[in-house]
Amino acid sequence: MPADPLQSAGPPQRTPATGRLGVTAHASGPVEVRRSARRRRTVSAYRDGNRTIVLIPARMSEDEERRWVTVMMDKLAAQDERRYLDDDDLARRAEQLSSRYLQGRARPRTVRWVTNQQSRWGSCTPAAGSIRLSHRLQGMPEYVLDYVLLHELAHLLVPGHGPGFWRLLENYPSTERARGFLEGVVAAERLPHTPHDPDAPDALGGDTPAPGDVD
């Protein structure tokens, strides 16, 4: 089994997607930029599974594209924040996952978000029965959050990462998919950083007017 991505979250950075067409890397997952000659003034974005689609006018420069991808990713992230699970939700989710995949044997005393875990996605203290998840998981796909939570639940039963530990996760169907997603996030965060333009207008609404474009 390769190195566990939960132990190598990497340093937190905002990394805008680059490139003109196709799928590119971003800390929040794959980003697909679609240019349209019919789109003259507006930029919009939406989630499609674990992928983000950003729609921009065909005439935009690469610099404008990078700026607007960052703006729209920030907008979607702000929307995601309003849908985050709280600590009580996490505890209920942990109970459900333990019942479904671990025969209810993993029973944490506490499950909570923390903001001081920058180099790992989750941690567990079996003696105390406590599980802590990095706030950086907030807004990631549900199957990724469930994997990290289930991973830490399994540590209540098996402390290390030996064969016995991984057997506990065999029944979770998205283990490899979630590991791949987290590895992609780490890789994206290590790309060169382009600062966000503080003068860019706030992207509110479904379509956001792009300054300088005229119908």
Side-chain angles (χ1 to χ4, degrees), residues 17-26 29-35 44-48 50-56 65 69 72-73:
T18 59
R20 297 180 65 83
L21 293 172
V23 179
T24 58
H26 188 277
V31 177
E32 180 177 341
V33 177
R34 297 179 182 174
R35 290 174 173 263
S44 62
Y46 62 92
R47 305 288 195 200
D48 183 10
N50 71 329
R51 176 178 302 193
T52 302
I53 310 299
V54 180
L55 308 174
I56 66 173
E65 175 185 315
V69 167
M72 300 309 287
M73 293 301 290

Side-chain angles (χ1 to χ4, degrees), residues 54-117:
V54 180
L55 308 174
I56 66 173
R59 61 191 291 185
M60 274 193 176
S61 68
E62 291 188 40
D63 286 344
E64 289 174 321
E65 175 185 315
R66 283 191 291 269
R67 184 183 69 175
W68 277 99
V69 167
T70 300
V71 168
M72 300 309 287
M73 293 301 290
D74 285 348
K75 173 192 174 183
L76 291 176
Q79 293 173 348
D80 289 340
E81 286 180 2
R82 296 193 289 271
R83 297 193 291 268
Y84 289 162
L85 302 178
D86 60 23
D87 290 351
D88 290 338
D89 294 327
L90 283 182
R92 286 189 289 270
R93 191 62 181 165
E95 182 180 359
Q96 295 169 356
L97 291 169
S98 177
S99 176
R100 184 171 182 179
Y101 297 106
L102 301 174
Q103 296 78 50
R105 294 185 294 135
R107 299 178 180 179
R109 294 187 182 94
T110 61
V111 185
R112 60 191 178 91
W113 295 110
V114 295
T115 59
N116 61 352
Q117 290 190 160

